[in-house]
Amino acid sequence: MNYFSSDFKLGILGGGQLGKMLLYDTRKFDIHTVVMDPSEDAPCRIGCNEFVQGDLMDFDAVYDFGKKVDLLTIEIENVNVEALEKLEKEGLRIYPSPATLRTIQNKAKQKLFYIDHDIPTAPFRRFAYTSEIHTALRNESIDFPFVWKSARFGYDGRGVKVIRTYSDLEGLPDVECIAEDMIPFKNELAVIVARNSKGDMVTYPVVEMEFHPSANQVEYVICPARIAPEVAEKAQLIALKTSRAYGHTGLLAVEMFQTEDDRILVNEVAPRPHNSGHYSIEASYTSQFEQHLRAILGLPLGNAESKVGGIMVNLTGEEGHTGKVVYENMDTIMKMDGVTPHIYGKKETRPFRKMGHVTIVHKDIAKAREIAGKVKDTIRVVSV
Amino acid sequence: MNYFSSDFKLGILGGGQLGKMLLYDTRKFDIHTVVMDPSEDAPCRIGCNEFVQGDLMDFDAVYDFGKKVDLLTIEIENVNVEALEKLEKEGLRIYPSPATLRTIQNKAKQKLFYIDHDIPTAPFRRFAYTSEIHTALRNESIDFPFVWKSARFGYDGRGVKVIRTYSDLEGLPDVECIAEDMIPFKNELAVIVARNSKGDMVTYPVVEMEFHPSANQVEYVICPARIAPEVAEKAQLIALKTSRAYGHTGLLAVEMFQTEDDRILVNEVAPRPHNSGHYSIEASYTSQFEQHLRAILGLPLGNAESKVGGIMVNLTGEEGHTGKVVYENMDTIMKMDGVTPHIYGKKETRPFRKMGHVTIVHKDIAKAREIAGKVKDTIRVVSV
């Protein structure tokens, strides 16, 4: 198949910021794209060749969309897997595979997958309903404290809660869930692995999420992570093992904990370009988006090493501001060395909504971290 | 003016590959773009917010287009300047300025501009018609050999001819032209200068055009140029002086000759992103396209230094091939370290047509040059 011509059509389910950044590289390679998203104002509306407005969870919408394209990928996991399974049976290449999506969409299944494949993960118990946790606590088969996680649609902090007492359980939805041991960790790390349809693999360097000292929120993604080389190597090997276990094609972002005693535990994965890899646009020889394309198209993988140190700061809507967005002090941050803002193009801001990100690159990662701190203190995402 | 919102509209005259690459960065900054191009299949058709099909040389088309936007830039010089002058009088910000475009559109005027501003350039004579050259030769006010250049629309090698005998003059159009001394030079260099509307300036490193040993065609653009630091500094100073002389806002690509005795002579300029700056997408802290946006929007200029060495190879249509394009051996070049192909998206190839380019980056520029040679020997742009 000659991808570099207009005969081939790549379908992308989801038209948000990840898709938008993927489209920079489909344009670079002149690959014809067809995007489906429920929103008529989706960031991908511009930059794709064809746009279809449709519900990603609707069987018919996803199935009909799949019939239009030669290869299908996603930029969001929450899509109708039944439709994908039917399309796959009918011969469509879909990366990530519907089987992988089915496992990942359910956190309990995903955790069991790690157990089955001997991939280290924090101990947990699975419950068909949150209410069953009470029984388990009474039987002393689990103890406080633990982390409650809804099995489904629990991404981005929603559907996760630390439970220290019975009262913390109040108000939780009565759904399939897990109760995970609280393991003290010193770092939250991530490794992106790319694997193409021929089985070639490369890993990006380990990145580190630096948290705000009081608010429990990632402030900086730092590449490379400031960890010992042997810990980094262990994290990369576990990420490779995880990608192989899924028989994955495309990018797999593996989120992990580094425990106090330097064990690595897999937390969860995303089978696509990921927030933890945005730094790669400016810092890496091959950006995660180009790499995802190379992987799913069966092209040779690119060099995943970095040209320079990279740090990413998420631009999230400030608290107390809802409405038409304004980015304050953009001029000031753009004066700083190695600073590139990315604005996703969402018209309305809301507290904590991801509106964009800023990358800071520098040969010296300590200097990049210093500039990143200034960026964080300067830029404001507010409403008019 | 808050550019990072949908209220502001940036107009771009021309929708070719330069515009297409500029749009990666307008998308990154979420700047609303309106593009005009005569071709309905223009590469910019995808990636802009609004597309207008129109003749860039037509007064009404350009004037009406200018009325739709808040700021106007170009990706090609051959546009109707009278319309731009009227728009400028009516208050529209236009970068490059109509006055600069008027000078640059006419090679004789452009050369006189360098004389007037004490910018070194090869000696020349100006003629209202090619036929007047015969008289000058008979009067011995000029001698063979010389370079004949049509004053208008003589870009990209067309409208330029080396004249060694009377017979070389045969068949040339009888138009306004110049006869330029043939100066032996050892290198063809280029420097891109960015100047924003506040007068801040930065220069990119000097790049070197490496020619094919027999065919008189640029094969590689190499950054940094393999020249002595004092020559590089002289070239950068002359480029800065040229940008200041034009009172220019935006990018100015200054093409120069390094003579056998290390003088620097300005050949011609392009007031926009330029082929000699394509390497910057992968190699520089700030790509030339982002820099052009920063400059025309009056934003702080970015770091113009390189992260790594960069080489660009143009992908041009092979001789003997006209029709639907195919890129042969793309897989092979994509296996090589630090190689990124850019495909412009033109459906039909023709001999020598610019269809794309390939960037090769490496910390070691000698290694990059070695890989670039392999890329050049491997990739083929042919018809089906």
Side-chain angles (χ1 to χ4, degrees):
Chain A
M1 171 69 77
N2 185 3
Y3 300 113
F4 303 95
S5 84
S6 56
D7 295 340
F8 170 82
K9 290 190 179 186
L10 173 65
I12 305 170
L13 289 170
Q17 62 260 25
L18 296 172
K20 177 186 169 184
M21 291 185 267
L22 188 63
L23 293 181
Y24 301 156
D25 293 293
T26 57
R27 295 291 297 130
K28 187 168 80 182
F29 290 166
D30 192 39
I31 289 166
H32 189 103
T33 48
V34 193
V35 173
M36 184 160 90
D37 193 87
S39 163
E40 66 171 339
D41 286 334
C44 280
R45 183 91 195 212
I46 297 157
C48 65
N49 296 70
E50 299 173 52
F51 183 80
V52 176
Q53 196 176 347
D55 180 351
L56 300 171
M57 293 306 290
D58 181 76
F59 181 95
D60 291 334
V62 172
Y63 180 78
D64 292 348
F65 180 78
K67 286 314 230 183
K68 291 185 210 293
V69 301
D70 298 299
L71 194 151
L72 192 54
T73 190
I74 53 125
E75 62 107 54
I76 185 166
E77 291 88 287
N78 296 324
V79 296
N80 188 295
V81 175
E82 290 73 20
L84 295 185
E85 283 165 341
K86 184 166 160 66
L87 289 163
E88 189 180 49
K89 259 186 219 138
E90 290 169 9
L92 185 65
R93 285 174 295 164
I94 305 175
Y95 305 123
S97 72
T100 294
L101 283 170
R102 197 174 268 290
T103 303
I104 289 172
Q105 280 184 352
N106 184 304
K107 257 185 199 157
K109 270 199 185 164
Q110 192 182 151
K111 292 281 286 188
L112 288 170
F113 180 87
Y114 301 137
I115 306 289
D116 289 348
H117 290 83
D118 201 23
I119 290 162
T121 193
F124 72 103
R125 287 279 308 274
R126 183 186 190 179
F127 296 96
Y129 297 96
T130 305
S131 51
E132 293 179 0
I133 294 181
H134 289 269
T135 319
L137 283 163
R138 275 194 303 272
N139 298 344
E140 291 178 11
S141 66
I142 65 167
D143 281 319
F144 296 117
F146 59 88
V147 185
W148 173 88
K149 294 181 179 177
S150 152
R152 294 197 154 260
F153 300 100
Y155 61 103
D156 267 2
R158 281 170 290 164
V160 175
K161 192 175 180 191
V162 174
I163 309 294
R164 296 178 196 280
T165 65
Y166 278 105
S167 64
D168 289 331
L169 284 166
E170 281 167 25
L172 289 180
D174 197 23
V175 293
E176 187 186 356
C177 61
I178 62 170
E180 195 177 66
D181 287 10
M182 273 188 78
I183 310 268
F185 60 87
K186 49 182 178 192
N187 274 311
E188 202 165 322
L189 308 173
V191 175
I192 292 176
V193 178
R195 189 166 176 275
N196 70 12
S197 48
K198 291 166 188 156
D200 303 327
M201 298 177 86
V202 296
T203 60
Y204 280 82
V206 183
V207 302
E208 165 195 353
M209 276 57 141
E210 187 182 323
F211 282 72
H212 186 277
S214 56
N216 185 35
Q217 221 190 348
V218 177
E219 281 206 300
Y220 308 101
V221 174
I222 301 175
C223 179
R226 299 161 298 183
I227 55 173
E230 56 275 18
V231 176
E233 204 194 326
K234 201 196 299 184
Q236 286 182 310
L237 288 174
I238 289 172
L240 283 165
K241 184 176 182 177
T242 307
S243 171
R244 262 193 301 264
Y246 279 110
H248 189 62
T249 295
L251 287 198
L252 191 73
V254 185
E255 295 184 49
M256 306 163 179
F257 299 115
Q258 177 188 5
T259 64
E260 298 288 359
D261 55 348
D262 283 344
R263 284 179 303 139
I264 296 289
L265 301 176
V266 171
N267 179 29
E268 60 180 14
V269 302
R272 51 163 170 79
H274 188 249
N275 194 261
S276 67
H278 289 350
Y279 78 91
S280 68
I281 297 176
E282 285 83 12
S284 306
Y285 283 95
T286 312
S287 87
Q288 65 166 345
F289 299 99
E290 178 178 334
Q291 197 74 281
H292 185 63
L293 284 179
R294 286 178 178 242
I296 64 175
L297 300 178
L299 293 166
L301 298 175
N303 184 349
E305 287 167 45
S306 295
K307 298 167 189 166
V308 285
I311 298 191
M312 191 221 45
V313 176
N314 281 315
L315 287 184
T316 49
E318 206 167 289
E319 273 188 282
H321 287 267
T322 298
K324 189 162 187 264
V325 65
V326 182
Y327 302 90
E328 278 187 9
N329 305 322
M330 194 67 101
D331 268 47
T332 315
I333 69 160
M334 287 178 78
K335 262 185 213 125
M336 301 174 188
D337 193 19
V339 167
T340 306
H342 290 253
I343 306 298
Y344 297 154
K346 300 171 185 177
K347 290 185 176 71
E348 306 273 316
T349 184
R350 289 193 299 268
F352 309 114
R353 187 177 194 195
K354 274 187 199 165
M355 301 298 289
H357 74 264
V358 180
T359 311
I360 300 96
V361 296
H362 203 284
K363 293 217 160 138
D364 177 358
I365 192 74
K367 183 73 190 158
R369 176 61 186 79
E370 196 186 309
I371 297 168
K374 286 186 196 154
V375 167
K376 187 90 189 167
D377 290 345
T378 305
I379 187 86
R380 294 186 64 212
V381 182
V382 293
S383 53
V384 192
Chain B
M1 172 69 77
N2 186 3
Y3 300 114
F4 302 95
S5 82
S6 57
D7 295 341
F8 170 83
K9 289 190 179 188
L10 173 65
I12 305 170
L13 289 171
Q17 62 260 25
L18 295 173
K20 178 186 167 182
M21 290 185 269
L22 188 62
L23 294 181
Y24 300 157
D25 293 295
T26 57
R27 294 291 297 131
K28 187 169 80 182
F29 289 167
D30 193 39
I31 288 166
H32 189 104
T33 50
V34 194
V35 173
M36 184 159 89
D37 193 89
S39 163
E40 66 169 339
D41 285 334
C44 280
R45 184 91 197 213
I46 297 158
C48 65
N49 296 71
E50 298 172 52
F51 182 80
V52 177
Q53 197 175 346
D55 180 351
L56 300 172
M57 293 306 290
D58 182 75
F59 182 94
D60 291 334
V62 171
Y63 180 77
D64 292 347
F65 181 77
K67 287 312 227 183
K68 290 186 212 291
V69 301
D70 299 299
L71 194 153
L72 191 55
T73 191
I74 54 123
E75 62 107 54
I76 185 166
E77 291 88 288
N78 297 324
V79 297
N80 188 294
V81 175
E82 289 74 20
L84 295 184
E85 283 165 343
K86 185 167 160 64
L87 289 162
E88 190 181 48
K89 260 186 217 136
E90 290 169 9
L92 185 64
R93 286 175 294 166
I94 305 175
Y95 304 124
S97 71
T100 295
L101 283 171
R102 197 174 268 290
T103 303
I104 288 172
Q105 280 185 352
N106 184 303
K107 257 184 200 158
K109 271 200 183 162
Q110 191 182 152
K111 291 283 284 187
L112 288 169
F113 180 89
Y114 301 137
I115 306 290
D116 289 347
H117 290 82
D118 200 24
I119 290 162
T121 191
F124 71 103
R125 286 280 309 275
R126 183 186 189 178
F127 297 96
Y129 297 97
T130 305
S131 51
E132 293 177 3
I133 295 181
H134 289 271
T135 320
L137 282 163
R138 277 195 301 274
N139 298 343
E140 292 178 10
S141 67
I142 65 165
D143 282 319
F144 296 118
F146 60 87
V147 185
W148 173 89
K149 292 182 179 178
S150 152
R152 293 196 155 265
F153 301 99
Y155 63 101
D156 265 3
R158 281 170 289 163
V160 175
K161 191 176 179 189
V162 174
I163 309 293
R164 298 180 194 278
T165 65
Y166 279 105
S167 65
D168 288 332
L169 284 166
E170 283 166 24
L172 288 180
D174 197 21
V175 292
E176 186 187 356
C177 61
I178 63 170
E180 195 176 66
D181 288 8
M182 275 189 75
I183 310 267
F185 61 88
K186 49 182 176 191
N187 274 312
E188 202 166 322
L189 307 172
V191 176
I192 291 175
V193 178
R195 189 167 175 275
N196 70 11
S197 49
K198 291 167 188 156
D200 303 327
M201 299 177 85
V202 296
T203 60
Y204 279 82
V206 184
V207 302
E208 164 195 355
M209 277 59 140
E210 186 182 323
F211 282 74
H212 186 274
S214 57
N216 184 36
Q217 221 191 348
V218 178
E219 282 205 300
Y220 307 101
V221 174
I222 301 174
C223 180
R226 298 161 299 183
I227 55 173
E230 56 275 17
V231 176
E233 203 194 329
K234 201 196 298 183
Q236 285 182 311
L237 288 173
I238 289 172
L240 283 165
K241 185 177 181 175
T242 308
S243 171
R244 263 192 300 263
Y246 279 110
H248 189 63
T249 296
L251 287 198
L252 191 73
V254 185
E255 295 184 49
M256 308 164 176
F257 298 114
Q258 177 189 5
T259 64
E260 298 287 359
D261 55 349
D262 283 346
R263 283 179 303 140
I264 296 289
L265 301 176
V266 170
N267 179 29
E268 59 179 14
V269 302
R272 51 163 171 78
H274 188 247
N275 193 260
S276 67
H278 289 350
Y279 79 90
S280 68
I281 298 176
E282 285 82 13
S284 306
Y285 282 96
T286 311
S287 89
Q288 64 165 345
F289 299 98
E290 178 179 333
Q291 197 75 282
H292 184 64
L293 284 180
R294 286 178 176 241
I296 64 176
L297 300 180
L299 292 166
L301 298 175
N303 183 351
E305 288 167 45
S306 294
K307 296 167 191 166
V308 285
I311 298 190
M312 190 221 45
V313 176
N314 281 315
L315 287 184
T316 49
E318 205 168 290
E319 273 189 281
H321 288 267
T322 298
K324 187 160 190 267
V325 65
V326 182
Y327 302 90
E328 277 186 9
N329 304 322
M330 194 66 101
D331 268 47
T332 315
I333 69 160
M334 288 179 78
K335 260 184 216 129
M336 301 174 188
D337 194 16
V339 167
T340 307
H342 290 254
I343 306 299
Y344 298 154
K346 300 171 185 175
K347 290 186 177 72
E348 305 273 318
T349 184
R350 288 192 300 268
F352 309 115
R353 187 177 195 197
K354 273 187 200 164
M355 301 298 289
H357 73 263
V358 180
T359 311
I360 300 95
V361 296
H362 203 283
K363 294 217 158 136
D364 176 0
I365 192 74
K367 183 70 191 163
R369 175 63 186 78
E370 198 186 308
I371 298 168
K374 284 184 199 158
V375 167
K376 186 89 189 168
D377 291 345
T378 306
I379 187 86
R380 294 185 64 211
V381 182
V382 294
S383 53
V384 192

